[in-house]
Amino acid sequence: MGFARTCSVALVGVEGVVVEVQADLEPGVAAFTLVGLPDKSLTESRDRVRAAVVNSGGEWPQKKLTVGLSPASVPKGGSGFDLAVACAVLGASERIDPRVLCDIVMIGELGLDGRVRPVRGVLPAVLAAADAGYEQVVVPECAAAEASLVPGISVLGVRSLRQLIAVLADEPVPEEDPDQHGRPDPLLAGLRMPGTGASTGMHGMGATPYEQGHDLADVVGQLSARAGVEVAAAGGHHLFLQGPPGAGKTMLAERLPAILPRLSRGESLEVTAVHSVAGLLPPGKPLVDVAPYCAPHHSATMQALVGGGQGVARPGAVSLAHRGVLFLDETPEFGSRVLDALRQPLESGHVVIARSAGVVRFPARFLMVLAANPCPCGRFSERGSACECPPSAIRRYQARLSGPLLDRVDLRVEVDQVTRSQLTGAGARGESTETVADRVRAARERAAARLAGTPWRTNSEVPGRELRNRWHAAPGAMDDAERGLERGVLTARGLDRVLRVAWTVADLVGHDRPDAGDVGLALQLRTGVPRGVPMAIGARA
């Protein structure tokens, strides 16, 4: 009787569970049984592994073969177990020393010719292996850079099963024929999930919009909207832009990720893990170090927005925008149930998807930007407008955004129609992305220094009770906001959010704590009601 075991990783959301892959050979009629709660794609690995072993020069054992995946209670799916199953079988048949396999984690799909193909979720799988105490992992060659992002672990990238057998058996490693120059790597075919490319708006792995030529200086006028975008970036506050078509709402949203600070190492690993599970990591860029930008179409379903789907739950747009920007253009056109599903992740910073097979948790701490027209035709707020929408249609259109959802939005800005003189004039341009980004970065550093020793890093994350008890505004600065609470203009949550925004404004202008002017600007941004407070943050600094 032959027995061997090695390890692989089962992904549950963006978290991994180390699975022991055991192979047992017994005398009897040749058969291959796979147990341990496998799904359809994993069950089919029996044929892939058999063909890969034979085509790699190995001998398939003609005995009763049982492969067990332990723990058996954890659902397992995908083709990433192929490599571990093949090596466990070869270890049981003594082609490879079983003792060599025990402490190695193997991740990869096998082609019928023995080539090792990449799979989604390599980074979270290697992170799970490192957390479990393993020090050696084997991954496909093209995913070795992604796996190497995890410190303290030895990564072996292989291109074929033949190479791995030679390495484990201490034999000369055969050379693999390189692919023809200029042709796409066939090993990457099918790695990306269909329907999640750049055309869907679910991207953010490449250069920032500023590096692609998008600059805040391109936005003509819109002093209030520019101030709202800057405050949103500095404090991580959600933003609602309302105005007629063509006023520049989309331009402002597209330029917001470029003024956000670069992701820290820990944040980069979080974002990269989500994008790896979704199959959105581009070749040659294993680490996402800039804020992602996700702009789903208004026809997106609830599963597309918050995650889920058939079978294994997949991350949605809110998770793909983790640590970045989620832009919902034409927000009233989204389904009401879809929008209301955003309430929980906006508060908690994560999404919990419950299915009969288990519960999946995805991170979802994002900066949300909503954009909407004032009425169905979009001309309601224009000066001398020709809006012909009846009042009932305008009320229905605006009521599509529920009060509880809007109450979670810190900043509400009216985007005015650009005038002819602003568009054609040769006056001074607005501040560039680089200038605003420097000011945002300095404000983030002030907030991080103040919040040192706490679990929060931005003002938007601080609970209201902590703000009221530990970080007070200047004496009398909150009087107008408190009167708004008494009159019913603000809710208790709204009062806390005004104080958060006021701290962000104070960080931007360099104040030790918010004064009456900072709170006044925060109130103006929160309620959308003009209060005569100057909106030029750069001038106030």
Side-chain angles (χ1 to χ4, degrees):
M1 181 182 70
F3 177 83
R5 60 185 176 89
T6 187
C7 294
S8 190
V9 178
L11 289 178
V12 182
V14 293
E15 300 174 355
V17 178
V18 176
V19 174
E20 188 174 79
V21 180
Q22 306 167 347
D24 177 71
L25 283 176
E26 296 180 355
V29 179
F32 187 172
T33 305
L34 183 64
V35 297
L37 216 58
D39 71 349
K40 179 66 173 177
S41 60
L42 182 51
T43 303
E44 293 175 348
S45 68
R46 294 177 299 184
D47 299 319
R48 290 195 302 270
V49 168
R50 181 187 292 108
V53 169
V54 173
N55 290 327
S56 298
E59 183 178 349
W60 188 257
Q62 298 301 315
K63 296 181 180 181
K64 181 182 179 182
L65 171 62
T66 303
V67 174
L69 308 176
S70 178
S73 59
V74 177
K76 306 166 191 71
S79 56
F81 291 87
D82 289 3
L83 203 57
V85 170
C87 288
V89 172
L90 291 172
S93 62
E94 298 183 352
R95 174 65 178 85
I96 302 173
D97 188 350
R99 294 171 296 179
V100 177
L101 303 174
C102 295
D103 297 325
I104 302 178
V105 175
M106 301 184 182
I107 305 162
E109 175 187 334
L110 284 175
L112 299 184
D113 57 353
R115 290 181 300 171
V116 181
R117 306 175 64 93
V119 293
R120 305 183 189 107
V122 169
L123 177 60
V126 177
L127 284 170
D131 291 341
Y134 290 88
E135 298 179 352
Q136 292 181 314
V137 297
V138 177
V139 298
E141 185 182 58
C142 51
E146 181 183 347
S148 299
L149 296 174
V150 181
I153 199 160
S154 175
V155 178
L156 172 63
V158 295
R159 195 168 181 84
S160 68
L161 181 60
R162 283 183 293 270
Q163 290 183 336
L164 180 58
I165 293 173
V167 171
L168 296 177
D170 197 19
E171 298 172 356
V173 179
E175 292 290 337
E176 295 291 341
D177 295 333
D179 293 314
Q180 297 182 15
H181 180 70
R183 297 183 61 184
D185 190 343
L187 294 183
L188 299 176
L191 179 60
R192 296 173 65 91
M193 289 181 62
T196 54
S199 61
T200 64
M202 298 185 182
H203 60 99
M205 300 71 63
T208 62
Y210 174 59
E211 293 170 346
Q212 295 174 356
H214 292 179
D215 197 330
L216 264 179
D218 300 334
V219 181
V220 177
Q222 308 299 358
L223 192 61
S224 299
R226 290 172 61 95
V229 167
E230 182 173 347
V231 172
H237 305 287
H238 305 305
L239 175 64
F240 178 34
L241 300 172
Q242 186 176 38
K249 301 185 293 294
T250 303
M251 286 184 66
L252 288 163
E254 288 177 343
R255 284 151 180 77
L256 177 55
I259 64 177
L260 292 173
R262 290 250 173 188
L263 301 179
S264 65
R265 178 73 177 184
E267 292 171 342
S268 295
L269 290 177
E270 291 177 8
V271 175
T272 304
V274 175
H275 285 252
S276 177
V277 170
L280 287 175
L281 288 180
K285 188 174 178 60
L287 183 67
V288 179
D289 58 356
V290 297
Y293 174 80
C294 189
H297 192 261
H298 57 74
S299 62
T301 62
M302 186 182 298
Q303 289 78 14
L305 197 63
V306 300
Q310 297 292 329
V312 180
R314 297 290 185 185
V318 296
S319 297
L320 295 176
H322 180 59
R323 301 295 181 184
V325 176
L326 175 67
F327 178 48
L328 302 182
D329 199 6
E330 304 293 346
T331 310
E333 301 297 338
F334 283 81
S336 59
R337 293 181 64 251
V338 174
L339 292 177
D340 288 339
L342 294 174
R343 298 184 195 177
Q344 185 259 346
L346 286 175
E347 290 292 332
S348 62
H350 61 265
V351 173
V352 177
I353 302 171
R355 293 289 185 269
S356 59
V359 178
V360 175
R361 185 178 184 272
F362 291 115
R365 188 168 297 280
F366 53 90
L367 194 164
M368 182 178 68
V369 180
L370 308 178
N373 298 324
C375 68
C377 76
R379 299 190 296 250
F380 177 66
S381 62
E382 293 185 21
R383 299 177 179 87
S385 65
C387 177
E388 298 180 355
C389 300
S392 59
I394 297 176
R395 285 196 301 269
R396 284 196 303 270
Y397 185 79
Q398 295 179 350
R400 293 179 184 176
L401 301 181
S402 65
L405 176 64
L406 290 180
D407 198 39
R408 290 167 167 82
V409 178
D410 299 345
L411 312 173
R412 304 176 188 179
V413 179
E414 187 75 22
V415 183
D416 299 325
Q417 183 69 38
V418 179
T419 63
R420 176 182 177 183
S421 59
Q422 290 175 327
L423 192 60
T424 61
R429 300 175 68 197
E431 290 181 312
S432 67
T433 292
E434 186 176 5
T435 302
V436 177
D438 290 340
R439 198 156 55 233
V440 168
R441 183 166 52 253
R444 288 275 186 124
E445 291 172 354
R446 292 189 188 98
R450 181 174 64 253
L451 300 174
T454 70
W456 315 296
R457 289 295 174 265
T458 60
N459 294 319
S460 63
E461 300 174 6
V462 183
R465 64 180 183 277
E466 297 291 340
L467 279 176
R468 294 190 298 270
N469 296 333
R470 298 177 59 179
W471 294 287
H472 304 280
M478 293 292 293
D479 288 349
D480 285 347
E482 292 168 357
R483 282 193 291 269
L485 177 65
E486 294 175 352
R487 294 196 302 268
V489 177
L490 292 174
T491 63
R493 180 192 284 128
L495 183 65
D496 289 340
R497 291 181 181 274
V498 167
L499 184 55
R500 290 182 184 133
V501 175
W503 269 108
T504 300
V505 175
D507 290 334
L508 282 168
V509 300
H511 294 167
D512 293 334
R513 57 179 177 170
D515 57 19
D518 300 330
V519 176
L521 179 55
L523 268 173
Q524 186 166 307
L525 290 171
R526 167 70 184 177
T527 62
V529 178
R531 295 175 177 268
V533 181
M535 298 294 290
I537 293 179
R540 297 181 75 230

